[in-house]
Amino acid sequence: MKKTVDNVEKACEGIESGMTLMLGGFGLCGIPENSIAELVKKEVNDLTCISNNAGVDDFGLGLLLQKKQIKKMISSYVGENDEFERQMLSGELEVDLIPQGSLAERCRAGGVGIPAFFTPAGYGTEVAEGKEVRDFDGKPHILETALTADYAIVKAWKGDTEGNLIYKGTARNFNPVMAMAGKITIAEVEELVPAGELDPNEIHTPGIFVQRIFQGDKFEKRIEKVTVRQKD
């Protein structure tokens, strides 16, 4: 099976309005920049997006929010995105806020075929409303279901033609668990190398989980909040 595609346009073929997408990243770190820009160009709408957050107003998933292309966000926090906050508070955007660890585990569970699991996170809060509660070792836990998506779109530092991926530093974040949970997984990478060039001991996502891979044209890697020490 040939997994490499020539560009982002071919990588995103088949993504249609009304689909559920997973998008890797944390803040602006490790987000699939090229693929998000292509989704804006494709003008798909009524999307359900599963992502830790929604970027900022003018970058990342914030670009899709500006165009009202997202119907529902499943995420762990609003972050620095004023438009996300505005749409959520006005009722324009359906939002399912999930504890961050639960979000990661629900994605992982979807990838490994576990339909649901119990966790103490969220018990006694709105997160637990309508969910089954059971006690384990005298502590209440709520039942959380796995998350999957029509397409999972991730960003890696380096990948090979068989779809094996290596993430760099904190850009690893949600990308590995989401890569496992898509019916079709698209990987955009900074560097695409022939099969066999990656050290097997350094691979984070095995190629079995990836259906399409391409080398991105441009990565801005914008920093959400620049924090540096004061000059002496």
Side-chain angles (χ1 to χ4, degrees):
M1 176 181 178
K2 183 183 178 183
K3 299 184 178 184
T4 56
V5 293
D6 294 333
N7 49 50
V8 67
E9 291 84 6
K10 291 185 178 179
C12 291
E13 283 182 356
I15 298 180
E16 300 175 352
S17 297
M19 285 187 167
T20 296
L21 309 179
M22 280 185 178
L23 299 109
F26 185 101
L28 300 181
C29 180
I31 64 172
E33 301 176 30
N34 294 273
S35 298
I36 292 172
E38 176 62 17
L39 293 176
V40 174
K41 286 170 56 180
K42 282 172 70 70
E43 298 184 339
V44 289
N45 51 42
D46 291 328
L47 298 172
T48 295
C49 291
I50 304 170
S51 184
N52 182 61
N53 60 297
V56 293
D57 289 309
D58 61 346
F59 196 63
L61 286 181
L63 297 172
L64 289 170
L65 283 172
Q66 282 186 349
K67 300 283 188 178
K68 307 289 180 67
Q69 292 173 259
I70 300 176
K71 174 184 69 176
K72 180 178 180 179
M73 279 295 309
I74 299 175
S75 54
S76 72
Y77 80 113
V78 176
E80 303 292 325
N81 194 319
D82 293 334
E83 181 62 16
F84 186 174
E85 180 182 20
R86 188 196 66 76
Q87 289 187 27
M88 180 178 72
L89 294 177
S90 69
E92 297 173 44
L93 179 69
E94 186 180 350
V95 177
D96 188 0
L97 287 177
I98 303 171
Q100 197 166 80
S102 297
L103 177 61
E105 184 62 10
R106 288 177 71 179
C107 293
R108 191 194 72 85
V112 298
I114 297 172
F117 60 92
F118 283 96
T119 175
Y123 176 76
T125 71
E126 290 183 9
V127 171
E129 290 182 2
K131 296 177 181 176
E132 181 183 344
V133 178
R134 289 179 62 180
D135 283 358
F136 294 92
D137 297 326
K139 189 174 183 178
H141 292 64
I142 63 174
L143 183 68
E144 293 281 16
T145 54
L147 290 170
T148 57
D150 297 301
Y151 285 81
I153 307 175
V154 300
K155 187 264 178 181
W157 170 53
K158 191 179 289 189
D160 69 18
T161 52
E162 292 297 319
N164 298 300
L165 305 176
I166 296 175
Y167 309 100
K168 191 171 185 179
T170 52
R172 189 170 173 179
N173 51 62
F174 277 83
N175 282 298
V177 291
M178 289 186 171
M180 298 191 297
K183 294 176 183 176
I184 295 176
T185 293
I186 301 167
E188 64 175 65
V189 299
E190 294 181 42
E191 184 180 355
L192 184 61
V193 300
E197 282 202 15
L198 300 182
D199 183 343
N201 295 302
E202 295 179 355
I203 291 170
H204 299 124
T205 295
I208 188 85
F209 293 111
V210 177
Q211 282 71 47
R212 303 175 191 172
I213 187 169
F214 72 98
Q215 184 168 304
D217 290 332
K218 178 185 176 184
F219 291 97
E220 184 177 335
K221 298 185 183 179
R222 190 184 301 187
I223 298 174
E224 191 167 355
K225 267 191 183 302
V226 178
T227 305
V228 295
R229 67 177 177 84
Q230 295 296 315
K231 187 177 181 180
D232 294 334

